[in-house]
Amino acid sequence: MATTNSSGPSSRRVGTFEFIYRVLNVAQTSVFLVKLQPPGPVASYLSSRGISYGAKGESIELACHQTSLPGHALQTHEVRNDYRGVTERMPYRKQYQDLSFSFYVDNEYGVIEMFEGWIDYIAGMNQQGDLNDYVNPYAQYRMNYPTDYRSDSVYVTKFEKNAGHIGRLASLGDTVPYQIQYNFVGAYPISINSTPVQYGTPDVLKYTVNMTYLRYVIDRRTAQQF
């Protein structure tokens, strides 16, 4: 005879302090940091075009005003009738979504130069020397090898405003703040969104770059451990 499992959750009283501690101690969307270091061959190519990541990279990264914590999904295959009348979905691959970074553009256009140069290197525009050669309508592209343009030094770090007060928080008995860091493996820019410019009320110029990658690894530690 079949039995019914009655071990589900039961209700209980939650005090105000416990509710605040468990529910209202929330993370904020506006506190994050990105790292977008191109690999060595790309950095050398950028340097030959007068773009120094060492000099401008940190300013470009700090100008990133919007990105997203990455998403992913399992691709599945439908399996039918292993059990009569039942359809199952069996995962066979993990698929990652492209990552988007939006930047404020400074009046030296450093972020534009950096990512245009990175994509030019991927497309092999350094193969024929002078970039002016590509004004020729018969110019061709020869893509570079992925090992030369993929970067393992692309990070998104999410932290909180109290991350710098670990000692004081610990003395007060408060929760030590954590940071969560996403390290993207084999990342490189795959597209750049068109950026409108127009007459009328001026606004800050924004520049959006989309990057693809092989996978990401999450590292969760206290702020002090980072």
Side-chain angles (χ1 to χ4, degrees):
M1 181 176 179
T3 58
T4 302
N5 184 0
S6 59
S7 60
S10 58
S11 60
R12 70 179 183 89
R13 186 181 182 88
V14 178
T16 302
F17 178 79
E18 183 181 359
F19 178 81
I20 292 173
Y21 177 79
R22 292 181 178 273
V23 179
L24 299 184
N25 189 24
V26 295
Q28 304 295 312
T29 60
S30 59
V31 191
F32 66 95
L33 184 67
V34 302
K35 182 73 173 175
L36 302 165
Q37 183 170 348
V42 176
S44 297
Y45 175 63
L46 293 174
S47 181
S48 71
R49 293 176 56 166
I51 310 160
S52 171
Y53 173 80
K56 295 184 177 181
E58 186 175 14
S59 298
I60 291 170
E61 292 158 356
L62 291 174
C64 179
H65 74 93
Q66 182 177 333
T67 185
S68 57
L69 303 184
H72 58 264
L74 292 174
Q75 292 184 328
T76 60
H77 173 72
E78 284 193 356
V79 178
R80 300 181 181 180
N81 296 324
D82 277 3
Y83 301 94
R84 183 178 299 174
V86 175
T87 299
E88 298 178 276
R89 298 175 65 185
M90 298 297 184
Y92 65 91
R93 178 176 297 170
K94 192 174 184 180
Q95 184 176 19
Y96 297 94
Q97 299 175 1
D98 290 344
L99 194 62
S100 179
F101 297 91
S102 186
F103 301 88
Y104 293 123
V105 180
D106 67 0
N107 57 10
E108 295 183 353
Y109 306 103
V111 62
I112 295 178
E113 293 282 355
M114 174 176 162
F115 285 103
E116 288 285 351
W118 195 337
I119 287 184
D120 284 351
Y121 180 85
I122 294 171
M125 288 186 69
N126 62 321
Q127 300 296 327
Q128 298 183 24
D130 194 343
L131 291 176
N132 291 326
D133 293 340
Y134 289 87
V135 176
N136 187 331
Y138 303 105
Q140 302 179 29
Y141 295 92
R142 183 178 180 182
M143 301 293 165
N144 274 303
Y145 290 103
T147 52
D148 291 335
Y149 59 74
R150 287 176 174 170
S151 174
D152 295 336
S153 298
V154 173
Y155 298 88
V156 174
T157 304
K158 181 68 191 73
F159 58 96
E160 299 307 312
K161 293 180 180 179
N162 59 0
H165 303 284
I166 296 175
R168 183 174 65 85
L169 291 170
S171 65
L172 295 174
D174 202 351
T175 304
V176 176
Y178 277 83
Q179 297 182 11
I180 186 168
Q181 186 176 84
Y182 295 80
N183 178 199
F184 298 90
V185 179
Y188 63 92
I190 195 171
S191 66
I192 297 172
N193 292 2
S194 59
T195 305
V197 291
Q198 60 188 9
Y199 290 118
T201 304
D203 195 3
V204 177
L205 187 64
K206 300 181 180 69
Y207 188 77
T208 300
V209 177
N210 304 299
M211 301 188 75
T212 188
Y213 51 93
L214 298 177
R215 69 187 66 88
Y216 64 79
V217 179
I218 299 178
D219 191 0
R220 180 179 180 271
R221 309 184 202 174
T222 65
Q224 190 174 33
Q225 288 172 329
F226 272 117

